[in-house]
């Protein structure tokens, strides 16, 4: 197995302290948003044999296993991250596989450069995600019931929000949500900015359930996404709890440290809380206007102490081992590729001693015995 040397991405929303604290190093003073573990071409992990992209390209079947290559092609189909949000991320959705393939082909046909700021589809893959909290973690996930959202907006006492409140009382519910989100994103920007300013002041005054939206407005003054965010469920995860973000589900991470895993894609359609391009017609085509409980996941016990976060897709499978004592060895050998990440204590994986933030790549079928006292996350695929 290969010890990984991973890139930390300094996005502006990142926490300056959360990842350094986990790694046991001094903060640099700059935001440290994500540490990437995998073979994403934008920042592949480095090994003693070259980058993980180079290692896999040299012999895909040996590194990934025949079943994974047959199912997903000669590439690692997931990206594992440490994610540290110190400020809200953009409000966004991801396409399903068919939508991604269609959108990518259309933009290729129209000759839109992949790096163009108005391009929606960077690749032809979908991007389901799972975030597992390492600390208390705040996020937004999926639509609230329209009547609940109407009550939240109405209690702000902002006159310019009354039309949205009225729309949210209409039926059917999915049409009501669509109309309101459309109205928010297509409203006159100056008028919406004034509305957001009034709403932010009311959120600050009211506190409680409104506190997350006051914080969002502080980071994104005047942004229509502040009002759109109030249509969504606010979720606070406790350590060990997780959220699965499927296609079309609007979401945003607000604050906290977690382990994130996703299909290897860059396809994002933004709804707000960002200076980046918002393609409203395409966004409305992708969003699933369905109100539902966000569905907090807790790990399910599996053999040999493994705790699995069950999801409906096969590009990734995330689980963890909480190892209580050093004398017990667990055999994690698997016919698919794995990345093992330590987040607490000290764990020995083969010849490697892993402390928090350290990770290894385990080729398919490679012997993988772990022991120690700590917490180990295991990322792999179902093939």
């Amino acid at each position: 197995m290969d010890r990984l040397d991973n890139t930390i991405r300094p996005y502006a929303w990142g926490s300056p302290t959360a990842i350094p604290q986990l790694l046991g190093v001094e903060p640099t003073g700059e935001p440290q948003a994500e540490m990437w573990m995998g073979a994403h071409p934008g920042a592949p992990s480095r090994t003693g044999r070259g980058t993980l992209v180079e290692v896999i390209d040299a012999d895909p079947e040996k590194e990934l296993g025949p079943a994974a290559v047959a199912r997903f092609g000669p590439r690692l189909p997931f990206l594992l991250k440490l994610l540290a949000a110190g400020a809200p991320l953009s409000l966004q959705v991801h396409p399903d596989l068919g939508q991604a393939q269609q959108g990518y082909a259309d933009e290729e046909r129209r000759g839109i450069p992949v790096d163009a700021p108005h391009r929606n589809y960077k690749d032809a893959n979908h991007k389901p995600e799972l975030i597992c909290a390492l600390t208390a973690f705040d996020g937004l996930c999926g639509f609230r019931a329209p009547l609940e959202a109407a009550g939240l907006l109405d209690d702000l006492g902002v006159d310019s929000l009354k039309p949205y409140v009225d729309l949210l009382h209409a039926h059917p519910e999915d049409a009501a949500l669509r109309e309101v989100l459309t109205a928010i994103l297509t409203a006159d920007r100056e008028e919406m900015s004034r509305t957001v300013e009034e709403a932010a002041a009311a959120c600050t005054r009211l506190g409680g359930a409104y506190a997350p939206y006051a914080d969002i407005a502080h980071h994104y003054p005047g942004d229509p996404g502040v009002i759109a965010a109030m249509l969504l469920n606010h979720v606070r995860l406790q350590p060990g709890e997780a959220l699965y973000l499927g296609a079309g589900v609007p979401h945003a991470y607000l604050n906290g440290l977690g382990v994130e895993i996703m299909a290897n894609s860059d396809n994002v359609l933004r709804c707000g809380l960002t200076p980046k391009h918002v393609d409203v017609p395409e966004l409305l085509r992708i969003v699933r206007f369905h109100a539902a409980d966000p569905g907090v996941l807790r790990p399910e016990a599996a053999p040999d102490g493994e705790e699995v976060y069950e999801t409906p897709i096969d590009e990734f499978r995330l689980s963890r081992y909480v190892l209580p004592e050093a004398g017990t060895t667990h055999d994690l050998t698997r016919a698919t590729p794995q990345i093992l990440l330590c987040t607490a204590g000290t764990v020995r994986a083969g010849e490697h001693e892993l402390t928090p933030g350290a990770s290894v790549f385990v080729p398919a079928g490679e012997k993988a015995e772990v022991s120690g006292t700590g917490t180990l996350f295991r990322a792999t695929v179902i093939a």
Side-chain angles (χ1 to χ4, degrees), residues 8-24:
I8 295 178
R9 310 307 295 261
Y11 305 135
W13 49 261
S15 165
T17 57
I19 289 178
Q21 184 175 1
L22 182 76
L23 299 179

Side-chain angles (χ1 to χ4, degrees), residues 58-108:
D59 195 340
E61 288 215 351
K62 178 179 182 295
E63 303 297 333
L64 305 177
V69 171
R71 181 79 190 277
F72 304 111
R75 61 185 183 87
L76 190 68
F78 65 82
L79 177 64
L80 185 67
K81 300 179 180 180
L82 280 174
L83 183 146
L89 282 67
S90 62
L91 190 61
Q92 58 189 255
V93 296
H94 306 301
D96 64 27
L97 186 56
Q99 291 165 338
Q101 291 170 340
Q102 179 185 8
Y104 180 78
D106 175 64
E107 291 185 326
E108 286 288 281

Side-chain angles (χ1 to χ4, degrees), residues 78 80 130 259 261 302-309 316-322 330-343 359-360 362 365-370 375-381:
F78 65 82
L80 185 67
L130 178 76
V259 174
I261 190 168
D304 195 32
E306 187 179 24
E307 300 175 330
V308 181
Y309 293 92
F316 62 74
R317 176 185 184 272
L318 185 71
S319 62
R320 70 173 184 177
Y321 288 82
V322 179
H330 298 265
D331 186 353
L332 274 56
T333 305
R334 190 177 170 93
T336 51
Q338 305 180 72
I339 292 178
L340 307 179
L341 166 67
C342 176
T343 59
S359 57
V360 293
V362 185
E366 187 80 12
K367 188 72 171 176
E369 292 187 338
V370 301
T375 301
L376 187 75
F377 280 83
R378 177 196 215 186
T380 186
V381 303

Side-chain angles (χ1 to χ4, degrees), residues 283-302:
L283 171 73
L284 296 173
R285 192 177 76 85
I286 299 302
V287 171
R288 296 182 180 177
F289 292 94
H290 174 63
D293 182 277
V296 174
L297 295 176
R298 294 170 182 84
E300 299 183 12

Side-chain angles (χ1 to χ4, degrees), residues 103-104 107-108 112-122 277:
Y104 180 78
E107 291 185 326
E108 286 288 281
I112 301 174
V114 173
D115 58 355
H118 64 288
R119 176 143 181 170
N120 296 313
Y121 298 95
K122 311 296 186 184
H277 177 63

Side-chain angles (χ1 to χ4, degrees), residues 17-219:
T17 57
I19 289 178
Q21 184 175 1
L22 182 76
L23 299 179
V25 300
E26 285 296 317
T28 64
E30 299 297 317
Q32 298 192 28
E34 297 180 344
M35 186 173 80
W36 287 18
M37 292 157 279
H40 190 289
S45 298
R46 298 169 292 278
T47 78
R49 299 186 284 156
T51 70
L52 198 52
V53 169
E54 293 167 340
V55 168
I56 291 170
D57 284 350
D59 195 340
E61 288 215 351
K62 178 179 182 295
E63 303 297 333
L64 305 177
V69 171
R71 181 79 190 277
F72 304 111
R75 61 185 183 87
L76 190 68
F78 65 82
L79 177 64
L80 185 67
K81 300 179 180 180
L82 280 174
L83 183 146
L89 282 67
S90 62
L91 190 61
Q92 58 189 255
V93 296
H94 306 301
D96 64 27
L97 186 56
Q99 291 165 338
Q101 291 170 340
Q102 179 185 8
Y104 180 78
D106 175 64
E107 291 185 326
E108 286 288 281
R109 186 168 54 251
R110 290 190 283 144
I112 301 174
V114 173
D115 58 355
H118 64 288
R119 176 143 181 170
N120 296 313
Y121 298 95
K122 311 296 186 184
D123 52 69
N125 200 18
H126 62 165
K127 194 187 178 190
E129 300 175 350
L130 178 76
I131 183 77
C132 178
L134 295 178
T135 65
F137 192 99
D138 284 287
L140 304 172
C141 179
F143 287 106
R144 298 174 183 269
L147 291 182
E148 182 184 345
L152 198 68
L153 293 175
D154 198 27
D155 288 348
L156 291 174
V158 176
D159 288 343
S160 52
L161 290 176
K162 298 297 184 184
Y164 304 144
V165 173
D166 293 340
L167 284 172
L168 287 166
H169 282 89
H171 292 283
E173 289 191 347
D174 57 346
L177 290 168
R178 176 182 288 274
E179 282 197 53
V180 172
L181 184 62
T182 302
I184 290 169
L185 297 180
T186 57
D188 179 84
R189 290 301 297 243
E190 286 191 14
E191 291 180 8
M192 177 54 70
S193 182
R194 290 192 292 271
T195 296
V196 172
E197 186 177 342
E198 287 186 59
C203 287
T204 300
R205 183 179 68 254
L206 292 168
Y210 291 92
Y213 307 103
D215 184 63
I216 291 170
H218 169 74
H219 289 283

